[in-house]
Amino acid sequence: MTRGIQELSGIGAKAAERLSALGITTVYDLQSYFPFRYEDHSIRRIQEVDHEEKVTLSGTVHSEPELRFFRKQSSRLTVRVLVDGLLVQAIFFNQPYLKKQIELGQVISFHGKLDKNRLAVNGAKLIGKTEGQGLDPVYSLRGDIKMFMLRKWIKQSFDEFPDDIEEILPYQLMQTYKLMDRREAFYRLHFPEKEKAFLQAKRRMIYEELLLFQLKMQVFRKKQRESTHGVTKTLHKDEVQAFIASLPFPLTQAQDRVINEILEDLEGKHRMSRLLQGDVGSGKTVVAAVALYASVLAGYQGALMVPTEILAEQHVESLTELFANTPVRIGFLSGSSKTKERRETLAKLEAHEIDVLIGTHALIQEPVIFANLGLVITDEQHRFGVGQRRVLKEKGLEPDVLFMTATPIPRTLAISAFGDMDVSTIDEMPKGRKVVETHWAKQDMLPRVLTFIEKHLKKGNQAYVITPLIEESEKLDVQNAIELHQQLQMVLTDWNVGLMHGRLHATEKDEVMKQFAQNEVQVLVSTTVVEVGVNVPNATVMVIYDADRFGLAQLHQLRGRVGRGSDQAYCILLADPKSENGKERMQIMTETSNGFELSERDLELRGPGDFFGVKQSGLPELKVADIVEDYRILEIARDDATKLVKSTAFWETDDYRGIREELARQGAFLQDRLD
Ligand code: ADP
Ligand code: MG
């Protein structure tokens, strides 16, 4: 596997340097440099082909090839080929050597643009003799490497050093899934001659790639578990149950289930690293409260981190209420806390006079000292939290960690991106929730939308109006919000219209939010800052300007601000009907209210790379497999990986040496790969 590329005949220093631009330095690199796509060259009947269409034709050579040279180095080779009963001229430029290769009576296939009037293919490319290949491999190129060179070298590498490709999968897996041998699979991917073999080759390599990927995740996770000894918390289960029973509502089954999963982690001897996902409004806060309560009773402090101050305050409010009849002491740390307050809070925290600290994500970055931190919960965590984990580690803290997110992560991505975490899912809404009725309207229908808003205001409900988004410029967004706010104030004279945007001071934001929550303000004009978490159950109308400019996940988040009470809620999407991509998203929004389904469709529309930034998500760069398309194989690979990592055979026997070596080659055994 380490044979240098220059050992290949005909490759000298210069070619080697060119190849290194593609990351190819060994023969094996070359052999595993798979095509990124294939051009379909399946042979068509000439009668079905249009004039000037690019096709592959196949027929019998009917005349000796005629070679003409013109100017200095240019040549033209003409061959008459009998194709489907018609005599077609195949004209090859600058490939004089073909004269010796093409013989009378042979069956050849060639590719090019058909001139139907003259029955000629100018600038033909010879695809093959005897039988035409259906697919032509296309490689990604860089520097001054040409496709034909690469193809030639790859072919050569298989001729000269076929043994550089070794089987890495254990016999048992090869047998179970009837997988094609690795060497053959490599070859078939480069030279896809027979369709069936090509598909088998793909299947094998997809499985191999996903298995390795999952093994890396699992190995990493195992190492992480071994190196971090979480604390075994002694839970007071009866009291936790009593707390749950005292809640103002019965928990949903899903809430019950995830709470049990979390409590088991808290008790367990490994450090918890768990993702809790649940659609907007599915009731994650109360789950967090139970976890914090259990942890506090066990003698530990907890921290709850959220992305915005507004949300932090809301959590302070709801947790204060939930913990009202308990001994849990809540502390709040905000960017706008006064120095004195701040100092007091920090002192109390260090003295363990505060049990649960609530604040923004900046919380753990600050010089905050806990007396005995046992549980960290982050809410509305869209990203991995890799950064946060690192900060905690650097501080020498290894508390149990729970990430909560309302951005439902499609199953496929959850498996792959969060493979090193456990995932709990709340897949059920509290009883009696009504689906938010969603409509899509053109921007110029505003007068009707206003009438609609007023109708609901008269009933005593409230409305959000999300203002247009301009090219991600916060300044212009704010400008827009200000203008729309003025307009609406003039129209909705009987009501109080509030304004909220990112440039407001934190205390101003809080003030507006409070007014809205207390129904002193009935209409809240806002930029997307209200996106996450905010809870005003009396608000029943959500109007979103420029809805076509938002991603599905964000629209769903915004929509989730309404429908939190018992009244029927509405979401009006104002969108430009001409926006192509927008149309599809609006359609999906009106059809689906289930966040998971929506995110699956979002994933289809955008592809996994876009869903999170690839780097941030920890998604691998796969050569053959596609996480979305091949998710069934991904699931199988994940299960296999889990079993393997747990078995001793995987770590010790010869059968698994190949795969262990490959994993080592990919750096899987280095610590901290994901951290
Ligand atoms: P999210 O998952 O979006 O954070 P919240 O925790 O804010 O959702 O819950 C949304 C609303 O649903 C809150 O008002 C909360 O009190 C209520 N809620 C939570 N769980 C239940 C339940 N099991 N039954 C009824 N209402 C519930
Ligand atoms: Mg929430």
Side-chain angles (χ1 to χ4, degrees):
M1 278 209 196
T2 51
R3 191 192 307 279
I5 191 74
Q6 291 201 43
E7 288 191 39
L8 211 59
S9 53
I11 293 202
K14 204 164 160 209
E17 203 191 307
R18 287 172 165 183
L19 281 167
S20 73
L22 301 177
I24 297 172
T25 57
T26 65
V27 170
Y28 179 79
D29 288 342
L30 185 64
Q31 291 164 330
S32 58
Y33 194 79
F34 297 122
F36 75 99
R37 69 181 174 88
Y38 297 86
E39 259 170 23
D40 190 356
H41 279 167
S42 31
I43 294 162
R44 304 256 308 272
R45 278 180 60 79
I46 193 165
Q47 283 81 357
E48 298 164 359
V49 178
D50 291 331
H51 178 55
E52 298 266 283
E53 198 184 343
K54 277 195 156 182
V55 282
T56 301
L57 299 171
S58 177
T60 316
V61 177
H62 200 74
S63 69
E64 288 287 355
E66 284 173 37
L67 182 61
R68 290 247 167 89
F69 284 94
F70 50 100
R71 266 178 268 129
K72 258 203 175 141
Q73 306 229 309
S74 305
S75 73
R76 175 194 156 114
L77 184 84
T78 309
V79 186
R80 263 170 269 276
V81 187
L82 192 61
V83 180
D84 302 322
L86 293 172
L87 218 42
V88 177
Q89 282 196 63
I91 300 159
F92 301 88
F93 292 115
N94 305 325
Q95 300 164 77
Y97 50 87
L98 286 181
K99 183 171 167 62
K100 287 203 192 110
Q101 296 180 11
I102 296 174
E103 291 165 23
L104 204 61
Q106 230 174 16
V107 174
I108 63 166
S109 55
F110 54 99
H111 181 78
K113 203 190 275 177
L114 177 70
D115 179 339
K116 255 203 146 164
N117 303 330
R118 294 177 40 237
L119 276 183
V121 171
N122 272 311
K125 274 194 278 180
L126 186 66
I127 302 295
K129 284 173 270 183
T130 65
E131 190 187 342
Q133 303 169 1
L135 298 170
D136 238 16
V138 182
Y139 298 92
S140 74
L141 299 173
R142 216 169 298 145
D144 44 5
I145 290 200
K146 299 270 185 304
M147 193 69 73
F148 79 92
M149 297 183 200
L150 201 55
R151 285 185 187 157
K152 190 181 77 186
W153 289 332
I154 288 172
K155 180 79 175 63
Q156 226 172 298
S157 72
F158 279 91
D159 291 344
E160 291 178 32
F161 301 112
D163 293 344
D164 281 19
I165 302 159
E166 288 166 36
E167 186 53 75
I168 60 166
L169 291 183
Y171 175 76
Q172 176 256 327
L173 287 176
M174 299 284 296
Q175 198 62 4
T176 309
Y177 300 121
K178 307 231 175 326
L179 296 177
M180 182 182 270
D181 163 75
R182 193 163 197 250
R183 190 178 307 152
E184 182 174 1
F186 270 48
Y187 186 85
R188 297 287 178 192
L189 286 183
H190 289 292
F191 309 101
E193 283 157 28
K194 300 192 182 87
E195 198 188 350
K196 213 168 155 195
F198 172 65
L199 293 177
Q200 288 300 333
K202 260 186 94 166
R203 186 171 72 92
R204 186 234 138 91
M205 290 313 297
I206 288 169
Y207 176 76
E208 175 188 313
E209 199 168 32
L210 294 176
L211 180 71
L212 285 168
F213 162 45
Q214 285 301 314
L215 278 171
K216 269 190 276 183
M217 287 276 196
Q218 307 273 350
V219 166
F220 170 74
R221 177 157 148 184
K222 184 173 149 73
K223 296 258 170 212
Q224 200 189 34
R225 287 193 159 202
E226 284 165 359
S227 71
T228 60
H229 345 276
V231 269
T232 310
K233 298 188 172 79
T234 314
L235 301 183
H236 300 245
K237 289 217 169 133
D238 291 346
E239 284 171 66
V240 174
Q241 284 312 321
F243 175 66
I244 291 174
S246 77
L247 293 171
F249 40 72
L251 293 182
T252 60
Q253 273 182 23
Q255 282 171 320
D256 256 331
R257 190 187 64 237
V258 302
I259 284 174
N260 282 332
E261 288 166 356
I262 293 166
L263 294 184
E264 262 175 45
D265 280 359
L266 295 181
E267 278 187 307
K269 61 177 191 288
H270 295 301
R271 195 164 71 97
M272 172 167 77
S273 176
R274 185 172 286 278
L275 177 79
L276 171 62
Q277 49 174 352
D279 209 342
V280 183
S282 62
K284 293 183 293 295
T285 312
V286 67
V287 172
V290 174
L292 288 166
Y293 185 71
S295 182
V296 169
L297 286 195
Y300 294 88
Q301 289 170 301
L304 177 58
M305 303 192 296
V306 292
T308 65
E309 299 249 326
I310 297 174
L311 206 52
E313 288 191 9
Q314 236 173 42
H315 276 322
V316 170
E317 213 170 282
S318 46
L319 290 192
T320 304
E321 215 176 297
L322 288 168
F323 290 146
N325 299 314
T326 73
V328 179
R329 294 157 298 182
I330 292 175
F332 173 49
L333 207 55
S334 121
S336 52
S337 298
K338 303 268 179 323
T339 330
K340 186 162 158 266
E341 270 174 67
R342 191 182 190 79
R343 220 179 294 135
E344 271 176 28
T345 306
L346 290 176
K348 280 186 181 170
L349 197 66
E350 201 170 346
H352 206 154
E353 284 161 21
I354 286 174
D355 300 303
V356 173
L357 183 65
I358 300 174
T360 58
H361 285 155
L363 198 137
I364 53 160
Q365 319 253 353
E366 297 181 27
V368 178
I369 301 166
F370 289 85
N372 190 16
L373 181 64
L375 172 63
V376 171
I377 301 182
T378 67
D379 192 15
E380 305 300 350
Q381 183 74 51
H382 295 227
R383 308 250 180 260
F384 243 110
V386 170
Q388 269 119 15
R389 271 187 278 171
R390 192 183 304 124
V391 172
L392 285 171
K393 211 168 174 183
E394 281 165 5
K395 287 190 157 195
L397 296 170
E398 301 207 338
D400 286 317
V401 180
L402 180 69
F403 302 92
M404 305 201 295
T405 178
T407 305
I409 294 137
R411 260 167 71 68
T412 45
L413 282 192
I415 292 179
S416 38
F418 295 93
D420 68 322
M421 272 192 230
D422 294 303
V423 181
S424 288
T425 305
I426 306 183
D427 50 5
E428 181 189 357
M429 283 293 189
K431 284 216 179 60
R433 273 299 151 70
K434 293 201 180 83
V435 169
V436 178
E437 227 179 78
T438 304
H439 299 280
W440 166 27
K442 285 183 206 155
Q443 218 105 294
D444 59 12
M445 285 170 77
L446 189 63
R448 279 180 60 189
V449 172
L450 283 175
T451 315
F452 183 81
I453 293 178
E454 274 206 282
K455 196 177 95 189
H456 288 272
L457 296 180
K458 281 182 187 148
K459 281 202 273 183
N461 289 119
Q462 292 163 273
Y464 293 95
V465 179
I466 304 300
T467 60
L469 194 67
I470 297 183
E471 319 262 309
E472 299 182 11
S473 145
E474 200 204 352
K475 205 167 149 199
L476 288 175
D477 284 353
V478 169
Q479 189 55 38
N480 253 317
I482 293 171
E483 276 169 26
L484 189 68
H485 175 241
Q486 284 170 348
Q487 279 176 23
L488 290 188
Q489 263 182 326
M490 282 191 283
V491 189
L492 301 167
T493 46
D494 291 346
W495 317 98
N496 291 329
V497 183
L499 172 65
M500 169 85 119
H501 56 70
R503 291 280 168 105
L504 289 182
H505 196 270
T507 49
E508 294 172 294
K509 280 192 213 160
D510 290 345
E511 191 50 36
V512 180
M513 217 45 234
K514 232 172 259 159
Q515 287 173 346
F516 189 62
Q518 288 162 5
N519 201 1
E520 284 158 23
V521 158
Q522 288 77 41
V523 179
L524 185 63
V525 174
S526 176
T527 56
T528 54
V529 293
V530 291
E531 186 189 337
V532 282
V534 175
N535 193 24
V536 180
N538 192 45
T540 53
V541 180
M542 164 65 65
V543 177
I544 306 172
Y545 267 84
D546 275 349
D548 51 326
R549 299 217 190 157
F550 296 100
L552 279 172
Q554 205 179 6
L555 287 172
H556 185 64
Q557 278 289 331
L558 286 166
R559 177 166 64 180
R561 295 312 105 218
V562 296
R564 303 175 82 85
S566 50
D567 296 329
Q568 176 61 52
Y570 303 86
C571 175
I572 315 285
L573 305 168
L574 296 174
D576 176 1
K578 284 192 293 270
S579 140
E580 243 336 287
N581 195 0
K583 212 188 259 174
E584 212 164 342
R585 263 176 285 140
M586 297 309 106
Q587 192 77 28
I588 295 173
M589 279 297 290
T590 55
E591 286 167 7
T592 344
S593 62
N594 180 317
F596 282 92
E597 194 181 321
L598 207 127
S599 69
E600 292 286 353
R601 296 183 66 174
D602 202 13
L603 181 62
E604 276 168 31
L605 276 183
R606 288 200 275 166
D610 265 11
F611 197 85
F612 313 110
V614 167
K615 279 252 156 57
Q616 226 150 6
S617 67
L619 288 178
E621 285 174 43
L622 298 169
K623 285 178 173 178
V624 190
D626 177 310
I627 285 179
V628 180
E629 235 167 72
D630 304 318
Y631 86 93
R632 274 172 218 285
I633 301 183
L634 179 63
E635 282 181 325
I636 293 170
R638 186 203 38 185
D639 292 346
D640 289 344
T642 311
K643 277 185 216 135
L644 283 183
V645 171
K646 281 192 189 138
S647 72
T648 36
F650 170 74
W651 295 97
E652 287 167 14
T653 67
D654 261 5
D655 227 15
Y656 295 88
R657 173 173 304 163
I659 203 157
R660 284 197 305 268
E661 280 172 5
E662 180 63 24
L663 284 167
R665 216 172 70 90
Q666 297 189 13
F669 300 119
L670 302 173
Q671 267 284 346
D672 277 7
R673 195 183 63 84
L674 295 176
D675 251 11

